[in-house]
Amino acid sequence: MTGRQLTHIGIALVVALFLWGLSEMIGGRSDEIEELEVLPAISPEDVDTIEFVHDGDTVRLVQWTEGAWSVNGHQASVRAVDGLFAALAQPVTASLVAVSVSSHERMGVAAEADRLRVLDGDRVVADLLLGGRGRQGESVYVRSEGDDRVYMMRGGLAAMSGLGETEWREKTIALVEPAQVQRVEVERGRERYTLTRADDGWMLNGAAADTARVEKMLRRYINLQPEGKAFATPAEADSADFARPDRRITLLGAAGDTLAALLYDSTDTGYWVRHAAGGTVYHMYGYRVEVSVPADSNLMPR
């Protein structure tokens, strides 16, 4: 290696060290000034409406009564709402990533961007423009209304900003513990049968049943959830024939009280499911329904 090459290498090292030191100085200084509180701490008592405004797919969470929320007119998931307020329990901070108006379009925070709006009646508690996803895990670019600076927001709230209505809706069809069930009444077209709990197991129409298979069926109702598209559209719900369902099951408790009463109507992709009393129409796959509402032959001793 010639002396000239060594000189060039030395100069390159000096420049690299200088640039590294400069970045450390700037980085150290920016750590102190580049964090901004983009949202104050918010509790359910502080607000009554939270909106994730998307073009054509806005999610609007409204507090019906204390502790009960709806999403676009449907019952909201308690777990999802609790997760949202857990993310809002402390002030939300974000890191500065751009200061120029020219960056707004590139980062997705121009005037027509999605928004997160938090309201208490007519009072606007917060109004954030939501941009594209950042490069770091659960992150999204944000900008406060009237502020040209762009920040990167990380964490749970960033992830929730991209959820649609389906993710926010309550999806629990039934919550029944098997030990509570004393009697099961089933209709499958013209087939009808009754299961009753006995001291030593289950009885099927008065004869011994395969208790293990009955218990397997009942475990489906511990936390019965929809599948696939999860919910019927209004047109699909109207087309379902719950006056003459393909399947019907009623789970009864010790006092004859109804723990769950569900109707199943077949469709091209499985079954529509609804409570006998009415309400939301859910979607389930056919093979799951065959376990949830089995033929009596599948419950006989083998």
Side-chain angles (χ1 to χ4, degrees), residues 187-189 245-249 262-264 271 289-290 293:
E187 297 180 19
R188 288 171 49 102
D246 296 292
R247 306 280 188 271
R248 181 193 299 266
I249 186 167
L262 300 175
L263 310 177
Y264 296 78
Y271 284 83
V289 173
E290 289 306 309
V293 195

Side-chain angles (χ1 to χ4, degrees), residues 194-205:
T194 300
L195 294 161
T196 53
R197 189 187 292 273
D199 292 338
D200 55 352
W202 282 89
M203 307 294 288
L204 173 63
N205 293 336

Side-chain angles (χ1 to χ4, degrees), residues 211-293:
T211 294
R213 289 177 178 271
V214 175
E215 293 293 339
K216 179 181 179 180
M217 176 193 75
L218 293 177
R219 283 195 294 272
R220 287 285 293 148
Y221 293 92
I222 292 175
N223 187 9
L224 188 66
Q225 298 278 318
E227 299 159 327
K229 64 182 297 180
F231 303 102
T233 65
E236 289 167 337
D238 288 341
S239 69
D241 186 2
F242 291 113
R244 293 175 295 178
D246 296 292
R247 306 280 188 271
R248 181 193 299 266
I249 186 167
T250 305
L251 309 180
L252 301 165
D257 49 314
T258 300
L259 304 174
L262 300 175
L263 310 177
Y264 296 78
D265 185 56
S266 61
T267 179
D268 292 340
T269 59
Y271 284 83
W272 299 126
V273 187
R274 196 200 71 185
H275 288 273
T280 302
V281 178
Y282 306 91
H283 178 267
M284 287 182 63
Y285 292 127
Y287 72 96
R288 296 284 194 183
V289 173
E290 289 306 309
V291 179
S292 304
V293 195

Side-chain angles (χ1 to χ4, degrees), residues 54-97:
H54 307 294
D55 183 19
D57 186 27
T58 293
V59 170
R60 190 167 191 265
L61 295 156
V62 177
Q63 189 165 198
W64 276 343
T65 59
E66 184 177 351
W69 289 73
S70 68
V71 54
N72 296 355
H74 306 285
Q75 182 182 357
S77 164
V78 173
R79 179 177 296 181
V81 172
D82 285 348
L84 173 61
F85 281 105
L88 294 171
Q90 300 295 326
V92 178
T93 59
S95 302
L96 180 66
V97 292

Side-chain angles (χ1 to χ4, degrees), residues 1 6 19 26 71-72 74 113 127 131 133 139 142 148 150 164 172-174 176 179 204 208 220 253 289-290 292 297:
M1 184 176 292
L6 289 172
L19 292 174
I26 295 174
V71 54
N72 296 355
H74 306 285
D127 190 353
R133 292 291 169 180
S139 61
V142 300
D148 291 337
V150 182
T172 301
I173 303 174
V176 179
L204 173 63
R220 287 285 293 148
V289 173
E290 289 306 309
S292 304
S297 58

